[in-house]
Amino acid sequence: MEPISGVSRKAALIAGLPLPLRRLALRTVFRVYAAVGRSPRSGLADRFERVLRLPRREARRLDREAAFHDALAELEWLALLTRSRAAIQRDLAHVVTQSPEVLRRIAASGEPVILAPLHMGPYVIGLLSILVTFFPGRSVLILRRRDDRPLETRVMERITEFGMPVRFLTVTDRAGYLPAIRYARQGAVIVVFADLPPRYGKPAPMPIFGLPTAFAFGIDSLAHLTGATVVPLAIGAEAGGAVVVPRYPFAVQANDAHERGRVADLMRRHIETTIRERPEQWHFWPSLQEYLAAEDPLMPIERAA
């Protein structure tokens, strides 16, 4: 395997293992660190305790688990970058989709669909499993941040190896928006992350955990313009694989303030429910301050709860 800048030989070796074995290897490494009193921590214990209103002991446990899942997410990116297509296909056998009939029904229509996951757990392998299993051969449009890492883009581009043409649209690219809409109307699967900070555009108030948070929010107009059904997705890591849970699908009926508010509330509930189910797996806890309402940007999060 060609060496990758910034990646240790140990990480590269673990990433080359089949999915259940690399999970076991990573957990073993963390247990060894714990046994010698050097458990990695994410530094989020105070935030978990106050925002989620958890006992201190549970908040500290989640802090350790968050460090594990940060490492796991990096490991999965590396595995998807370096493993062969056949090896990745075998890894996909360890991804379980709950209520698969929801996705089968939507896929059978051939109409555009918006998949709306969060940045949680091993979300890339979960998305790949959904695309390969339910939407084989369909065109894919991925809305991405302007500051995605090159490694992330290279991994996403590997979707083409599974027979699906992929097009990217940076969320701030106004010039590319209408061409992307025309592309998506032809039955594309559109991937839109539901939990981007408000600086990525069109923020909507979407309070979670009692905090005055806002999120970048363009799913309503995108769904209306493309006629796509929106499927909120929860993707999480399990001991030997991953689980994908499609939430209740919905359509956007109009392009007005009332409909925008309705859709924003649906997505707000999706975000809060998904994070509450697996709080240690949400990647944006360290950036929570970015989501606070603009009129009170310096509110201390830990006291707000």
Side-chain angles (χ1 to χ4, degrees):
M1 183 184 70
E2 179 185 351
I4 301 170
S5 176
V7 174
S8 70
R9 182 172 177 80
K10 181 191 296 184
L13 288 172
I14 295 176
L17 296 171
L19 191 151
L21 290 180
R22 63 179 179 264
R23 294 287 173 82
L24 178 60
L26 183 65
R27 183 60 79 178
T28 300
V29 169
F30 270 70
R31 284 173 178 158
V32 169
Y33 276 117
V36 298
R38 295 174 54 198
S39 291
R41 299 179 185 277
S42 63
L44 296 170
D46 288 345
R47 189 155 295 182
F48 289 144
E49 180 179 9
R50 297 179 184 276
V51 174
L52 299 177
R53 296 177 173 84
L54 295 175
R56 182 65 180 175
R57 183 173 181 177
E58 174 64 7
R60 294 179 67 182
R61 184 190 71 81
L62 284 180
D63 182 61
R64 293 190 295 271
E65 283 297 296
F68 171 81
H69 284 284
D70 285 346
L72 186 152
E74 291 297 315
L75 191 64
E76 291 304 321
W77 280 109
L78 186 57
L80 287 167
L81 178 65
T82 59
R83 282 170 65 76
S84 69
R85 180 192 181 283
I88 293 172
Q89 189 77 54
R90 292 192 294 272
D91 285 345
L92 295 181
H94 300 283
V95 180
V96 176
T97 301
Q98 297 183 7
S99 303
E101 66 280 359
V102 172
L103 293 170
R104 289 195 193 102
R105 184 177 67 251
I106 291 170
S109 73
E111 298 296 320
V113 58
I114 294 175
L115 303 178
L118 275 61
H119 290 85
M120 287 193 66
Y123 61 86
V124 182
I125 197 168
L127 279 172
L128 181 59
S129 175
I130 292 295
L131 294 172
V132 169
T133 304
F134 300 99
F135 303 96
R138 293 273 287 269
S139 298
V140 179
L141 174 65
I142 299 176
L143 272 69
R144 62 179 179 178
R145 298 174 290 169
R146 60 180 173 267
D147 51 358
D148 276 351
R149 297 176 299 170
L151 180 147
E152 294 172 351
T153 299
R154 288 165 62 191
V155 168
M156 290 292 193
E157 287 172 345
R158 294 203 68 188
I159 294 172
T160 61
E161 296 178 29
F162 293 83
M164 291 169 284
V166 178
R167 182 168 177 170
F168 294 96
L169 175 68
T170 303
V171 293
T172 54
D173 180 7
R174 295 184 180 181
Y177 189 73
L178 288 180
I181 292 295
R182 289 193 289 269
Y183 175 83
R185 282 175 176 166
Q186 300 171 16
V189 179
I190 310 162
V191 178
V192 181
F193 287 92
D195 58 345
L196 288 178
R199 62 188 170 90
Y200 287 99
K202 300 184 69 176
M206 297 162 68
I208 60 171
F209 306 119
L211 297 173
T213 47
F215 291 79
F217 184 65
I219 282 181
D220 58 326
S221 57
L222 184 61
H224 185 256
L225 288 170
T226 60
T229 298
V230 180
V231 185
L233 288 180
I235 301 173
E238 305 247 308
V243 61
V244 180
V245 183
R247 308 290 191 194
Y248 187 75
F250 62 88
V252 176
Q253 306 294 340
N255 186 23
D256 56 34
H258 180 269
E259 185 72 344
R260 179 172 171 81
R262 181 185 75 87
V263 175
D265 187 59
L266 289 172
M267 296 309 297
R268 180 199 66 78
R269 282 184 273 174
H270 166 51
I271 293 168
E272 182 168 333
T273 298
T274 302
I275 296 173
R276 193 179 292 278
E277 289 172 348
R278 301 173 188 267
E280 73 282 5
Q281 296 191 30
W282 191 43
H283 302 317
F284 286 170
W285 278 113
S287 306
L288 187 58
Q289 188 77 29
E290 290 188 41
Y291 295 86
L292 289 176
E295 62 269 18
D296 194 9
L298 300 180
M299 176 200 276
I301 293 173
E302 283 73 17
R303 292 205 301 270

